[in-house]
Amino acid sequence: MSLNTNSNALALKLQSRDATREPIWVRYSLIAVAFIFFLSCLLLPLILVFVEAFKQGIAVYINALTDSDTLSAVKLTLITAAIAVPINVVFGVAAAWAVAKFQFRGKAILTTIIDIPFSVSPVIAGLMLVLIFGAQGWMGGWLMDNDIKILYAVPAIVLATIFITVPFVARELIPLMEAQGTEEEEAAIVLGASGWQTFWRVTLPNIKWGLIYGVILCNARAMGEFGAVSVVSGHIRGQTNTLPLHVEILYNEYTFSAAFAVSSLLAFLAILTLILKTWLEVRQEQANQHQPTQDQPSH
């Protein structure tokens, strides 16, 4: 008994020591560098956005947010996210389930395809849509003959946003599903559950926190996308401008207060995303702590 107690005390003592044996000035220097970088490159620009937004008073701020073009940009941004996010959720769950739970030919190719939007510039993604749906594109002639408008309209904006945000849900779920393995699904199948019953009652409850986290990141990226949407939107004021594009137009017109006022909406989105991300991490950690271990049977 005393031997175990001494071992535990020694383990705690070792854990309390510094993991690296670096001098104290090295550690404090690294902390100072990280803190300065955080203040100068992350926190200070965010604060300045709100300072500039309210610089000319609350009335100017409210007028900028209630302008018809701003409301139109907000509406289009919400519509785009409302379409793109659910589509990517369905694709992300299906792709992650296939990659993590099954073995098939082309599995490596599928995971590579999922990562393409991470490696391709958003501007290039927009140009690809122009190449496909533009007047001189592969489908341009057929679209014009049938009076179907995709480019410089809402469909192109939605397609560009879907392409850019494809990886967020899938990449959040794949490592989670791989870590969980297939034992529970196999047990459910053996007990007579169908594929859908297995998914809804076994797989989905196990991935719910990762799925919600992926949805939040996907939604934030969809609302903040600029490059690809800028190429395919046409910058038609009041019609095809999302919030980031509207900020650019206001800034180029030297209406800085209005530009920063609209930017504050995107900043609020970033802060809300951070809060939700932190909340989800806390909830997931609490859920993991309450899960029974193999040595501790549940009651």
Side-chain angles (χ1 to χ4, degrees):
M1 184 70 179
S2 60
L3 180 60
N4 292 333
T5 304
N6 294 334
S7 299
N8 293 334
L10 179 61
L12 293 174
K13 185 177 181 180
L14 291 175
Q15 291 176 1
S16 65
R17 292 181 181 179
D18 300 325
T20 63
R21 302 295 180 178
E22 301 294 341
I24 190 171
W25 67 268
V26 174
R27 297 198 298 273
Y28 280 113
S29 298
L30 292 175
I31 294 173
V33 169
F35 188 71
I36 292 173
F37 178 84
F38 171 76
L39 287 179
S40 60
C41 296
L42 299 176
L43 187 60
L44 184 60
L46 184 62
I47 294 175
L48 290 177
V49 167
F50 290 98
V51 171
E52 292 293 330
F54 291 97
K55 190 174 183 178
Q56 296 186 9
I58 188 68
V60 174
Y61 180 84
I62 294 177
N63 288 335
L65 296 185
T66 56
D67 180 72
S68 59
D69 291 338
T70 301
L71 295 178
S72 176
V74 172
K75 180 180 177 181
L76 180 57
T77 302
L78 294 176
I79 291 174
T80 302
I83 298 174
V85 173
I87 291 175
N88 278 330
V89 167
V90 174
F91 169 79
V93 172
W97 197 11
V99 170
K101 304 297 183 180
F102 302 99
Q103 297 294 331
F104 56 92
R105 290 184 179 180
K107 182 176 179 179
I109 297 176
L110 177 58
T111 55
T112 302
I113 292 175
I114 292 173
D115 290 336
I116 286 178
F118 282 146
S119 57
V120 175
S121 169
V123 175
I124 301 301
L127 289 176
M128 290 191 302
L129 293 177
V130 173
L131 179 63
I132 297 173
F133 302 111
Q136 305 300 323
W138 296 345
M139 300 179 62
W142 181 84
L143 292 173
M144 293 179 65
D145 293 340
N146 292 274
D147 195 25
I148 300 175
K149 192 173 184 180
I150 293 181
L151 204 62
Y152 309 131
V154 175
I157 296 174
V158 173
L159 288 173
T161 304
I162 290 174
F163 178 86
I164 294 299
T165 56
V166 157
F168 286 91
V169 175
R171 268 301 167 194
E172 188 64 33
L173 294 180
I174 288 175
L176 177 61
M177 287 186 171
E178 288 179 338
Q180 291 174 350
T182 60
E183 289 81 4
E184 294 187 17
E185 284 83 358
E186 292 172 354
I189 295 296
V190 170
L191 293 175
S194 64
W196 279 111
Q197 289 175 329
T198 302
F199 173 76
W200 287 108
R201 298 184 180 182
V202 178
T203 304
L204 189 60
N206 287 336
I207 65 171
K208 62 179 180 179
W209 295 115
L211 178 60
I212 296 173
Y213 184 53
V215 169
I216 291 173
L217 294 180
C218 182
N219 182 71
R221 186 69 174 88
M223 289 189 175
E225 173 52 31
F226 176 82
V229 172
S230 178
V231 174
V232 303
S233 69
H235 291 270
I236 304 174
R237 196 161 188 165
Q239 297 183 31
T240 62
N241 276 340
T242 58
L243 276 175
L245 301 184
H246 188 53
V247 171
E248 181 196 29
I249 289 178
L250 293 174
Y251 190 84
N252 290 337
E253 293 177 348
Y254 300 101
T255 52
F256 298 123
S257 295
F260 282 106
V262 179
S263 297
S264 68
L265 293 179
L266 295 173
F268 277 126
L269 173 64
I271 295 173
L272 179 61
T273 301
L274 181 62
I275 293 174
L276 289 176
K277 172 181 173 295
T278 305
W279 177 77
L280 283 175
E281 289 175 347
V282 172
R283 287 297 303 272
Q284 186 174 8
E285 184 178 353
Q286 292 175 349
N288 292 336
Q289 290 177 351
H290 286 85
Q291 285 181 352
T293 61
Q294 295 179 352
D295 298 331
Q296 181 182 355
S298 58
H299 297 283

